[in-house]
């Protein structure tokens, strides 16, 4: 009994930092904004407006369409990654992650190069472009562990290939499909940069409308009402995703660890062709972005790249890039500290207080779905009450970016920690090792690759974060994504070329980091979330 009390006390101390961080830098600012909205007495009126629900309907519609398209496009790629042995499959698995971590402003401009007028189609395709990797890797991780025996038995009994897939394989992979679909829907429903760039000011989601009402109209009641609607949708999506994620983890534990990849045969070549078509389509926006960065009024031009280190109008792009690197590093360090501690606590609570662990896990996912603009504006309202005025601190942007990447760190580290055999921890404890030494000798070596991967992915996500940063970055110290958005809105051919050249450079850096990190993480794709 005394040992259990000491364990719970230790867990309470470990949980103090992530819970305190969440309360101080997320719950308090969001509650302050919502409170200001209620204080003005206009939240009820805003909720009663038809425009609010039209925005909510458009948000859900475009997110649902993007999710369906991402699942349909991702399934053939998942099959190839999981079941077939082809040259270059490992490279494809890594390259798929590049679209997922590209900054939203980069993808927005890439699709604007293809569809200058924007519109719903370009928004849906851009969101799909982002999230095919989530489906392919999440579903492929479970699919790789399925025994082919069930399908082969169904074929022997006379079922067609499609019938065998529909009645045997699809039910088996549905936990992964549901988990991936919930994550994709969450990302698409809170998409900001893509809708801001491609919506043309006429197509607006809850996220972009919150930005408009907060920054341009200073309509706090309206922004608070929309934040409440968005938060309700996010909680529902997180609940669905958590249930699907538990089913997926259970399914993975029940499957053999051996893979059954083989050369494609017969109708499988059609699946290979479909997956190849998806990969070609993923390359089109990237190629369009590169070509646009090299295009000038009189033909091919490197003016945008030459202007990158120039001193033209405003802050030089090179200075903005250095500022992005610094803030992303600070945000990653903060996110790793909070995310790893939270993951350790959640795993420990799963053994002693499962419900508390699930509540903490869900709470730490909430920043994914609450408007980054709401959080940013909340910082400006609340943080002056703390000792020292954080509103003028260079840590303000990293704090907001850390909130965005903490859920990503947890989703990558937590499944790996859960997969560690509990008997190893028990054996170390029996031999006299304390909790800290058990972590150092058992958990850390087994999770080191995932920790490095989480740091790398968190870094590139922070590097391209646009939502909160666009609101919090000081005019004299913008990050590169913020400067790109500003350049894209300025008149002049050189500004446009510089914006696209900056996008290409940001894409190259992001892609290089992701490829290196994914190679370090090779062999763990079936365990982590991404």
């Amino acid at each position: 009994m005394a040992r259990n009390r000491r364990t719970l006390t230790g867990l309470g101390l470990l949980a103090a930092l992530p819970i305190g961080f969440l309360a101080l830098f997320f719950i308090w600012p969001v509650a302050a904004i919502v409170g200001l909205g209620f204080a003005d007495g206009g939240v009820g009126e805003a909720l009663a407006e038809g425009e609010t629900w039209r925005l909510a309907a458009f948000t859900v519609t475009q997110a649902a369409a993007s999710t369906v398209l991402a699942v349909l496009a991702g399934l053939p790629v998942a099959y190839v990654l999981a079941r077939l042995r082809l040259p270059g499959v490992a490279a494809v698995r890594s390259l798929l992650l590049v679209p997922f971590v590209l900054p939203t402003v980069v993808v927005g401009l890439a699709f604007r190069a293809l569809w200058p007028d924007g519109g719903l189609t370009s928004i849906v395709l851009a969101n799909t472009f982002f999230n095919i990797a989530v489906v392919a890797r999440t579903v492929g991780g479970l699919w790789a562990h399925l025994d082919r025996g069930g399908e082969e038995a169904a074929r022997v009994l006379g079922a067609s290939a499609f019938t065998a897939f529909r009645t045997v394989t699809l039910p088996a992979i549905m936990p992964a499909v549901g988990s991936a679909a919930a994550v994709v829907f969450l990302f698409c429903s809170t998409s900001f940069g893509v809708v801001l760039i491609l919506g043309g000011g006429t197509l607006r989601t809850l996220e972009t409308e919150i930005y408009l009402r907060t920054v341009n109209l200073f309509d706090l009641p309206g922004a608070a009402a929309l934040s409440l609607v968005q938060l309700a949708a996010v909680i529902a999506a997180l609940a669905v995703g958590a249930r699907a994620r538990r089913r997926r983890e259970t399914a993975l534990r029940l499957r053999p660890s051996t893979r059954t990849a083989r050369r494609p045969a017969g109708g499988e070549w059609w699946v290979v062709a479909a997956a190849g078509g998806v990969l070609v389509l993923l390359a089109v926006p990237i190629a369009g972005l590169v070509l646009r960065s090299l295009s000038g009024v009189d033909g091919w031009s490197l003016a945008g790249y030459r202007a990158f280190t120039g001193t033209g109008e405003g802050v030089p792009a090179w200075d903005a890039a250095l500022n992005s690197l610094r803030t992303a590093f600070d945000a990653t360090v903060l996110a790793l500290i909070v995310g790893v501690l939270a993951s350790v606590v959640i795993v420990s609570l799963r053994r002693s207080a499962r419900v508390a662990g699930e509540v903490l896990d869900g709470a730490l996912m909430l920043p994914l779905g609450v408007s980054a603009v709401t959080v940013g504006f909340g910082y400006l309202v609340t943080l002056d009450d703390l000792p020292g005025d954080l509103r003028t601190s260079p840590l303000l942007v990293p704090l907001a970016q850390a909130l965005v990447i903490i859920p990503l760190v947890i989703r990558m580290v937590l499944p790996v920690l859960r997969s560690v055999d509990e008997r190893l921890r028990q054996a170390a404890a029996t031999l006299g090792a304390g909790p800290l030494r058990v972590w150092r000798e058992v958990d850390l070596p087994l999770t080191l690759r995932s920790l490095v991967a989480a740091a790398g992915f968190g870094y590139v996500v922070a590097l391209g974060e646009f939502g909160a940063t666009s609101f919090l970055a000081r005019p004299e110290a913008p990050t590169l994504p913020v400067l790109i958005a500003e350049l894209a809105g300025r008149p002049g051919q050189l500004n446009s070329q510089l914006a696209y050249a900056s996008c290409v450079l940001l894409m190259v850096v992001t892609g290089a980091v992701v490829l290196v990190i994914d190679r370090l993480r090779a062999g763990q794709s079936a365990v982590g979330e991404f």
Side-chain angles (χ1 to χ4, degrees):
M1 184 66 70
R3 182 175 181 179
N4 287 339
R5 282 199 298 269
R6 287 197 300 270
T7 300
L8 291 175
T9 301
L11 286 177
L13 293 175
L14 283 179
L17 180 60
I19 292 174
F21 187 90
L22 184 71
L24 190 60
F25 297 111
F26 176 71
I27 296 176
W28 181 29
V30 172
I33 291 299
V34 174
L36 282 176
F38 276 109
D40 289 341
V43 169
E45 296 177 6
L47 288 175
E49 291 178 359
E51 179 65 16
T52 297
W53 299 107
R54 280 192 291 272
L55 288 167
F58 176 74
T59 301
V60 171
T61 300
Q62 63 86 24
S66 302
T67 301
V68 170
L69 198 56
V71 170
L72 292 177
L75 283 178
V77 180
Y79 183 84
V80 170
L81 295 179
R83 286 298 186 88
L84 303 182
R85 188 171 64 251
L86 288 168
V89 166
V92 169
R93 190 189 310 275
S94 298
L95 288 171
L96 271 176
L97 279 174
V98 176
F100 175 66
V101 297
L102 283 180
T104 57
V105 67
V106 171
V107 174
L109 284 179
F111 276 83
R112 197 169 83 172
L114 299 175
W115 283 277
D117 296 331
L120 176 59
T121 300
S122 61
I123 291 173
V124 171
L125 290 176
N127 282 331
T128 302
F129 173 86
F130 268 120
N131 292 295
I132 287 176
V134 177
V135 177
R137 290 175 66 99
T138 303
V139 177
L142 177 56
W143 212 334
H145 287 69
L146 293 183
D147 189 352
R148 290 181 182 268
E151 298 175 58
E152 294 170 351
R155 295 301 303 276
V156 169
L157 293 173
S160 65
F162 177 75
T163 301
F165 170 78
R166 179 175 55 83
T167 58
V168 178
T169 305
L170 186 58
I173 64 173
M174 277 307 294
V177 173
S179 177
V183 172
V184 171
F185 182 85
L186 183 63
F187 288 156
C188 294
S189 62
T190 57
S191 177
F192 177 66
V194 164
V195 180
L196 192 67
I197 291 173
L198 298 176
T202 57
L203 296 177
R204 304 191 305 276
T205 59
L206 289 170
E207 184 83 355
T208 58
E209 185 69 8
I210 291 169
Y211 176 85
L212 173 66
R213 297 195 183 192
T214 303
V215 177
N216 293 354
L217 304 179
F218 204 69
D219 177 14
L220 290 182
L226 296 178
S227 296
L228 291 175
V229 174
Q230 187 183 51
L231 184 59
V234 165
I235 290 174
L238 287 173
V240 172
R243 182 178 179 183
R245 189 165 56 247
R246 286 195 297 271
R247 290 177 60 202
R248 174 176 175 265
E249 289 173 356
T250 301
L252 275 172
R253 285 197 296 271
L254 295 176
R255 303 296 174 186
S257 59
T258 56
R259 292 174 178 255
T260 56
R262 58 172 173 73
R263 293 282 299 175
E268 287 178 330
W269 285 107
W270 289 104
V271 181
V272 174
V278 170
L279 296 177
V280 170
L281 291 175
L282 286 177
V284 170
I286 295 175
L289 182 67
V290 174
L291 291 176
R292 183 65 182 80
S293 72
L294 296 171
S295 301
V297 176
D298 301 320
W300 301 113
S301 172
L302 293 173
Y305 294 93
R306 286 195 294 266
F308 191 81
T309 56
T311 58
E313 180 183 352
V315 178
W318 179 253
D319 290 347
L322 293 177
N323 189 46
S324 292
L325 295 174
R326 287 191 295 266
T327 56
F329 177 82
D330 294 340
T332 303
V333 172
L334 285 170
L336 277 176
I337 294 172
V338 175
V340 171
L341 280 178
S343 299
V344 171
V345 171
I346 292 168
V347 169
S348 301
L349 287 175
R350 194 178 188 184
R351 299 191 294 268
S352 56
R354 183 185 182 93
V355 174
E358 291 180 353
V359 169
L360 179 60
D361 189 5
L364 288 165
M365 294 300 107
L366 285 177
L368 278 179
V370 175
S371 168
V373 174
T374 300
V375 176
F377 194 80
Y379 281 2
L380 299 184
V381 171
T382 58
L383 295 187
D384 62 325
D385 292 335
L386 296 176
D389 192 352
L390 282 178
R391 295 178 302 176
T392 59
S393 170
L395 280 177
L396 187 61
V397 172
L399 284 171
Q401 291 179 347
L403 273 176
V404 174
I405 59 179
I406 284 171
L408 177 64
V409 171
I410 293 174
R411 290 275 64 83
M412 293 182 69
V413 174
L414 183 58
V416 181
L417 280 176
R418 283 174 171 168
S419 70
V420 175
D421 193 337
E422 182 61 26
R423 291 172 296 184
L424 296 176
R425 298 187 180 106
Q426 293 172 350
T430 301
L431 293 173
L436 184 60
R437 189 173 181 184
V438 170
W439 160 256
R440 188 178 69 247
E441 302 293 341
V442 177
D443 292 282
L444 183 59
L446 294 175
T447 60
L448 184 59
R449 282 192 174 187
S450 286
L451 288 173
V452 174
F457 285 126
Y459 185 81
V460 295
V461 170
L463 194 64
E465 204 283 325
F466 179 64
T469 309
S470 65
F471 188 71
L472 295 172
R474 292 173 293 177
E476 70 276 10
T479 61
L480 190 55
V482 172
L483 183 62
I484 289 171
E486 293 177 359
L487 290 169
R490 293 176 188 168
Q493 178 67 19
L494 184 58
N495 284 325
S496 177
Q497 288 179 279
L498 177 55
Y500 280 102
S502 300
C503 284
V504 171
L505 294 174
L506 191 55
M507 178 178 66
V508 169
V509 172
T510 299
V513 173
V514 167
L515 293 178
V516 170
I517 293 300
D518 196 53
R519 298 312 300 160
L520 289 175
R521 197 170 168 245
Q524 295 184 342
S525 59
V527 181
E529 284 293 303
F530 303 112

